CSV table of all heavy atoms in Angstrom, one decimal:
chain,number,residue,atom,x,y,z
A,364,LYS,N,-9.1,18.1,13.7
A,364,LYS,CA,-9.9,16.9,13.3
A,364,LYS,C,-9.9,16.7,11.8
A,364,LYS,O,-10.3,15.7,11.2
A,364,LYS,CB,-11.4,17.1,13.7
A,364,LYS,CG,-11.7,17.1,15.2
A,364,LYS,CD,-13.1,17.0,15.4
A,364,LYS,CE,-13.7,17.9,16.4
A,364,LYS,NZ,-13.5,19.3,16.3
A,365,SER,N,-9.3,17.7,11.0
A,365,SER,CA,-9.3,17.6,9.6
A,365,SER,C,-8.3,18.5,8.9
A,365,SER,O,-7.7,19.4,9.6
A,365,SER,CB,-10.7,18.0,9.1
A,365,SER,OG,-10.9,19.4,9.5
A,366,GLY,N,-8.1,18.3,7.6
A,366,GLY,CA,-7.2,19.2,6.9
A,366,GLY,C,-7.7,20.6,7.0
A,366,GLY,O,-6.9,21.5,7.0
A,367,THR,N,-9.0,20.8,7.0
A,367,THR,CA,-9.6,22.1,7.1
A,367,THR,C,-9.1,22.8,8.4
A,367,THR,O,-8.7,24.0,8.4
A,367,THR,CB,-11.1,22.1,7.1
A,367,THR,OG1,-11.5,21.3,5.9
A,367,THR,CG2,-11.8,23.4,7.1
A,368,ASP,N,-9.2,22.1,9.6
A,368,ASP,CA,-8.7,22.6,10.9
A,368,ASP,C,-7.3,23.0,10.8
A,368,ASP,O,-6.8,24.0,11.2
A,368,ASP,CB,-8.9,21.5,12.0
A,368,ASP,CG,-10.4,21.3,12.3
A,368,ASP,OD1,-11.2,22.0,11.8
A,368,ASP,OD2,-10.6,20.3,13.0
A,369,LEU,N,-6.5,22.0,10.2
A,369,LEU,CA,-5.0,22.3,10.2
A,369,LEU,C,-4.7,23.5,9.3
A,369,LEU,O,-3.8,24.3,9.6
A,369,LEU,CB,-4.3,21.0,9.7
A,369,LEU,CG,-2.8,21.0,9.6
A,369,LEU,CD1,-2.2,21.2,11.0
A,369,LEU,CD2,-2.2,19.7,9.1
A,370,ALA,N,-5.4,23.5,8.1
A,370,ALA,CA,-5.1,24.7,7.2
A,370,ALA,C,-5.4,26.0,7.9
A,370,ALA,O,-4.7,27.0,7.7
A,370,ALA,CB,-5.9,24.5,5.9
A,371,ARG,N,-6.5,26.0,8.6
A,371,ARG,CA,-7.0,27.2,9.3
A,371,ARG,C,-6.0,27.6,10.3
A,371,ARG,O,-5.5,28.8,10.4
A,371,ARG,CB,-8.4,27.0,9.9
A,371,ARG,CG,-9.0,28.3,10.4
A,371,ARG,CD,-10.4,28.2,11.0
A,371,ARG,NE,-11.3,27.6,10.1
A,371,ARG,CZ,-12.1,26.5,10.3
A,371,ARG,NH1,-12.0,25.9,11.4
A,371,ARG,NH2,-12.9,26.1,9.3
A,372,LEU,N,-5.6,26.6,11.1
A,372,LEU,CA,-4.6,26.9,12.2
A,372,LEU,C,-3.3,27.4,11.6
A,372,LEU,O,-2.7,28.4,12.1
A,372,LEU,CB,-4.3,25.5,12.9
A,372,LEU,CG,-3.2,25.6,14.0
A,372,LEU,CD1,-3.7,26.3,15.3
A,372,LEU,CD2,-2.7,24.2,14.4
A,373,LEU,N,-2.8,26.8,10.6
A,373,LEU,CA,-1.5,27.2,10.0
A,373,LEU,C,-1.6,28.6,9.4
A,373,LEU,O,-0.7,29.4,9.5
A,373,LEU,CB,-1.1,26.2,8.9
A,373,LEU,CG,-0.5,24.9,9.4
A,373,LEU,CD1,-0.4,23.9,8.3
A,373,LEU,CD2,0.9,25.1,10.0
A,374,LEU,N,-2.7,28.9,8.8
A,374,LEU,CA,-2.9,30.3,8.3
A,374,LEU,C,-3.0,31.4,9.4
A,374,LEU,O,-2.3,32.4,9.3
A,374,LEU,CB,-4.1,30.3,7.3
A,374,LEU,CG,-4.3,31.6,6.5
A,374,LEU,CD1,-3.0,31.9,5.7
A,374,LEU,CD2,-5.5,31.6,5.6
A,375,GLU,N,-3.9,31.1,10.3
A,375,GLU,CA,-4.1,32.1,11.3
A,375,GLU,C,-3.0,32.2,12.4
A,375,GLU,O,-2.6,33.3,12.8
A,375,GLU,CB,-5.4,31.9,12.1
A,375,GLU,CG,-6.7,31.9,11.2
A,375,GLU,CD,-6.9,33.1,10.4
A,375,GLU,OE1,-6.4,34.2,10.8
A,375,GLU,OE2,-7.5,33.1,9.2
A,376,GLU,N,-2.3,31.1,12.7
A,376,GLU,CA,-1.3,31.1,13.8
A,376,GLU,C,0.1,31.4,13.2
A,376,GLU,O,0.9,32.0,13.8
A,376,GLU,CB,-1.3,29.8,14.5
A,376,GLU,CG,-2.5,29.6,15.4
A,376,GLU,CD,-2.6,30.5,16.6
A,376,GLU,OE1,-1.6,30.7,17.2
A,376,GLU,OE2,-3.7,30.9,16.9
A,377,ARG,N,0.4,30.8,12.0
A,377,ARG,CA,1.7,30.9,11.5
A,377,ARG,C,1.8,31.5,10.1
A,377,ARG,O,2.9,31.5,9.4
A,377,ARG,CB,2.4,29.5,11.4
A,377,ARG,CG,2.5,28.8,12.8
A,377,ARG,CD,3.5,29.6,13.7
A,377,ARG,NE,3.5,29.0,15.0
A,377,ARG,CZ,4.4,28.3,15.5
A,377,ARG,NH1,5.5,27.9,14.8
A,377,ARG,NH2,4.3,27.8,16.8
A,378,GLN,N,0.7,32.0,9.6
A,378,GLN,CA,0.7,32.7,8.3
A,378,GLN,C,1.2,31.8,7.2
A,378,GLN,O,1.9,32.2,6.3
A,378,GLN,CB,1.5,34.0,8.3
A,378,GLN,CG,0.8,35.1,9.2
A,378,GLN,CD,1.0,34.9,10.6
A,378,GLN,OE1,2.1,34.6,11.1
A,378,GLN,NE2,-0.1,34.9,11.4
A,379,VAL,N,0.8,30.5,7.2
A,379,VAL,CA,1.2,29.6,6.1
A,379,VAL,C,-0.1,29.2,5.4
A,379,VAL,O,-1.0,28.6,6.1
A,379,VAL,CB,1.9,28.3,6.7
A,379,VAL,CG1,2.1,27.3,5.5
A,379,VAL,CG2,3.2,28.7,7.3
A,380,ALA,N,-0.2,29.5,4.1
A,380,ALA,CA,-1.4,29.1,3.4
A,380,ALA,C,-1.2,27.8,2.6
A,380,ALA,O,-0.2,27.7,1.9
A,380,ALA,CB,-1.8,30.3,2.4
A,381,LEU,N,-2.1,26.9,2.8
A,381,LEU,CA,-2.1,25.7,2.0
A,381,LEU,C,-3.5,25.2,1.8
A,381,LEU,O,-4.4,25.7,2.5
A,381,LEU,CB,-1.2,24.6,2.6
A,381,LEU,CG,-1.2,24.3,4.1
A,381,LEU,CD1,-2.5,23.5,4.4
A,381,LEU,CD2,0.0,23.5,4.5
A,382,ILE,N,-3.8,24.2,1.0
A,382,ILE,CA,-5.1,23.8,0.7
A,382,ILE,C,-5.5,22.6,1.4
A,382,ILE,O,-4.8,21.5,1.3
A,382,ILE,CB,-5.3,23.6,-0.8
A,382,ILE,CG1,-4.7,24.8,-1.6
A,382,ILE,CG2,-6.8,23.4,-1.2
A,382,ILE,CD1,-5.4,26.1,-1.4
Side-chain angles (χ1 to χ4, degrees):
K364 294 194 229 52
S365 62
T367 306
D368 291 347
L369 184 60
R371 189 179 302 127
L372 176 78
L373 285 167
L374 186 59
E375 300 303 332
E376 294 288 320
R377 298 294 171 105
Q378 291 76 51
V379 174
L381 46 73
I382 312 295

